[in-house]
């Protein structure tokens, strides 16, 4: 019996979410008195996972698995889980993981709970806390199946380093052509230096920016903070920014540590996408903007005056604390 984690990577390099699910899995393994096994696909340095509590890595090297394929990945992870006798499987809340998790649940005859935000309340019965109603509430959910799959919300647990080392073992799952019936034919990558999914800080702009020609202000603030840039749905609909930056109920969810909204009124669809962020800062010249009711900090003022001053002060702070 062990706790198994699916650790995502991009071009062989682990994503931050991979380290977070490993850290989370380690704590569950400690609760259950067992160990953590990770599954990697064409990762360049699988042993790196030992830093985050993984005891053993099942390393898959297969050119056909270079690009994410939900069914093939789910079958491979399922075989790994059975090999290890895993009672708990932990995945992230990325789009890929949410795609494969239901398939994996079928493969393992397991219960699957998404959007988990904390360690299990108890192991007998197995009860976990998750967000509900588009992050407006929490629920405690019991999983009664023998094998349990948990989808950890991004940035819900954080990273915890360990001094343990991981052993790396080659693993070759048995896959058939049926596993590759659906395949990725091309990938268009966003040009952001920091992706929205992995970003700890996100700077987002809305129609209050008045036009795409003013977006440099958002990019400058993001650059100072090492943040990703995002936008509201109207902004992407008008073509000011690519749809890949659209945050909200119909766009990408954001679970950053800090979310700064500039010139965004705060429609309910947008708030649903960012509610999981820990600290929300709003800059808007309309004191009645709905976003202020959801924000932790608010600045009522003209973004074209506030943001440049904020950038200047942040640069001064960084220079004085370099």
């Amino acid at each position: 019996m062990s706790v198994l984690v699916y650790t995502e990577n991009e071009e062989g390099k682990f994503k931050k979410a991979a380290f977070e699910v490993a850290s989370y899995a380690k704590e569950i393994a400690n609760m259950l008195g067992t160990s953590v096994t990770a599954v990697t696909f064409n990762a360049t340095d699988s042993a790196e996972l030992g830093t985050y509590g993984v005891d053993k890595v099942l390393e898959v090297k297969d050119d056909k698995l270079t690009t994410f394929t939900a069914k093939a990945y789910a079958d491979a992870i399922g075989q790994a889980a059975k090999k290890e006798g895993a009672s708990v499987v932990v995945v992230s809340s990325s789009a890929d993981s949410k795609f494969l998790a239901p398939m994996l649940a079928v493969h393992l005859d397991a219960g699957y709970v998404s959007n988990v935000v904390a360690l299990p309340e108890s192991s007998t019965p197995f009860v976990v806390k998750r967000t509900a109603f588009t992050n407006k509430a929490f629920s405690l959910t019991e999983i009664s199946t023998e094998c349990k799959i948990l989808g950890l919300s991004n940035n819900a647990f954080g990273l915890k380093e360990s001094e343990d080392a991981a052993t790396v073992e080659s693993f070759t799952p048995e896959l058939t052509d049926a596993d590759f019936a659906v395949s990725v034919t091309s990938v268009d990558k966003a040009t952001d230096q920091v992706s929205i999914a992995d970003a700890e800080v996100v700077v987002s702009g809305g129609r209050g920016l008045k036009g795409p020609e003013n977006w440099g202000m958002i990019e400058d603030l993001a650059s100072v903070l090492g943040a990703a840039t995002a936008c509201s749905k109207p902004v992407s609909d008008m073509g000011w920014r690519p749809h890949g930056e659209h945050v909200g109920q119909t766009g990408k969810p954001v679970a950053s540590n800090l979310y700064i909204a500039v010139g965004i009124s705060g429609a309910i669809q947008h708030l649903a996408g960012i509610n999981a962020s820990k600290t929300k800062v709003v800059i808007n010249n309309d004191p009645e903007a709905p976003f202020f009711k959801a924000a932790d900090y608010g600045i009522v003022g003209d973004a074209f005056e506030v943001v440049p001053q904020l950038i200047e002060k942040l640069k001064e702070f960084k220079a004085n604390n370099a």
Side-chain angles (χ1 to χ4, degrees):
M1 181 180 75
S2 70
V3 176
L4 190 84
V5 291
Y6 162 48
T7 50
E8 299 180 42
N9 70 71
E10 185 171 8
E11 297 180 347
K13 186 177 180 180
F14 289 115
K15 298 180 179 179
K16 178 190 170 188
F19 299 138
E20 187 171 24
V21 294
S23 301
Y24 179 79
K26 180 64 175 178
E27 292 296 320
I28 294 181
N30 289 340
M31 289 176 60
L32 301 178
T34 185
S35 58
V36 179
T37 299
V39 182
T40 66
F41 295 91
N42 297 318
T44 55
D45 185 9
S46 295
E48 186 180 10
L49 294 170
T51 306
Y52 297 93
V54 171
D55 299 290
K56 182 169 76 172
V57 179
L58 297 180
E59 187 178 62
V60 180
K61 295 288 187 182
D62 187 336
D63 290 342
K64 294 176 69 176
L65 296 171
T66 299
T67 303
F68 174 78
T69 304
K71 189 173 187 311
Y73 272 49
D75 282 355
I77 296 167
Q79 291 174 37
K82 290 179 178 177
K83 176 180 182 297
E84 295 297 305
S87 59
V88 179
V89 179
V90 183
V91 301
S92 77
S93 288
S94 71
D96 286 353
S97 285
K98 285 185 174 178
F99 190 4
L100 73 81
M103 297 183 186
L104 182 60
V106 172
H107 190 113
L108 296 173
D109 195 20
Y112 165 51
V113 174
S114 61
N115 302 321
V116 174
V117 293
L119 288 169
E121 298 276 320
S122 68
S123 58
T124 310
F126 199 92
V127 178
V128 291
K129 183 178 182 180
R130 65 187 296 268
T131 58
F133 302 113
T134 57
N135 300 320
K136 291 184 176 61
F138 296 106
S139 71
L140 295 177
T141 302
E142 178 180 340
I143 314 176
S144 57
T145 52
E146 183 175 348
C147 183
K148 303 149 184 70
I149 301 175
L150 307 181
L152 180 67
S153 288
N154 292 342
N155 295 319
F157 188 74
L159 306 183
K160 293 189 177 181
E161 295 191 9
S162 167
E163 295 182 353
D164 298 335
T167 60
V168 180
E169 177 182 310
S170 178
F171 177 60
T172 305
E174 295 181 3
L175 302 175
T176 67
D177 290 342
D179 288 308
F180 300 95
V182 177
S183 61
V184 177
T185 56
S186 66
V187 177
D188 290 331
K189 290 189 174 182
T191 56
D192 301 311
Q193 292 183 342
V194 183
S195 71
I196 294 175
D198 294 332
E200 295 193 3
V201 181
V202 174
V203 179
S204 187
R207 280 185 294 185
L209 271 296
K210 299 182 179 178
E213 67 276 10
N214 296 318
W215 212 260
M217 188 169 65
I218 297 295
E219 293 172 336
D220 288 345
L221 179 56
S223 177
V224 173
L225 293 169
T229 59
C231 68
S232 62
K233 185 175 185 298
V235 165
S236 61
D237 286 345
M238 290 186 291
W240 295 3
R241 300 299 297 172
H243 282 284
E245 292 189 4
H246 165 202
V247 168
Q249 197 168 33
T250 56
K252 292 183 177 179
V254 169
S256 57
N257 287 324
L258 174 62
Y259 183 81
I260 302 176
V262 182
I264 299 176
S265 61
I268 191 169
Q269 294 87 352
H270 188 84
L271 296 180
I274 60 94
N275 267 346
S277 293
K278 292 182 178 176
T279 303
K280 309 172 195 71
V281 177
V282 176
I283 301 171
N284 200 302
N285 60 5
D286 178 7
E288 302 299 322
F291 217 142
F292 283 114
K293 295 180 180 178
D296 298 285
Y297 301 95
I299 301 173
V300 179
D302 187 339
F304 295 95
E305 296 178 3
V306 174
V307 174
Q309 292 183 50
L310 184 57
I311 293 171
E312 183 181 344
K313 291 297 182 183
L314 285 169
K315 286 181 176 177
E316 287 180 13
F317 178 82
K318 291 181 72 173
N320 293 333
N321 292 276

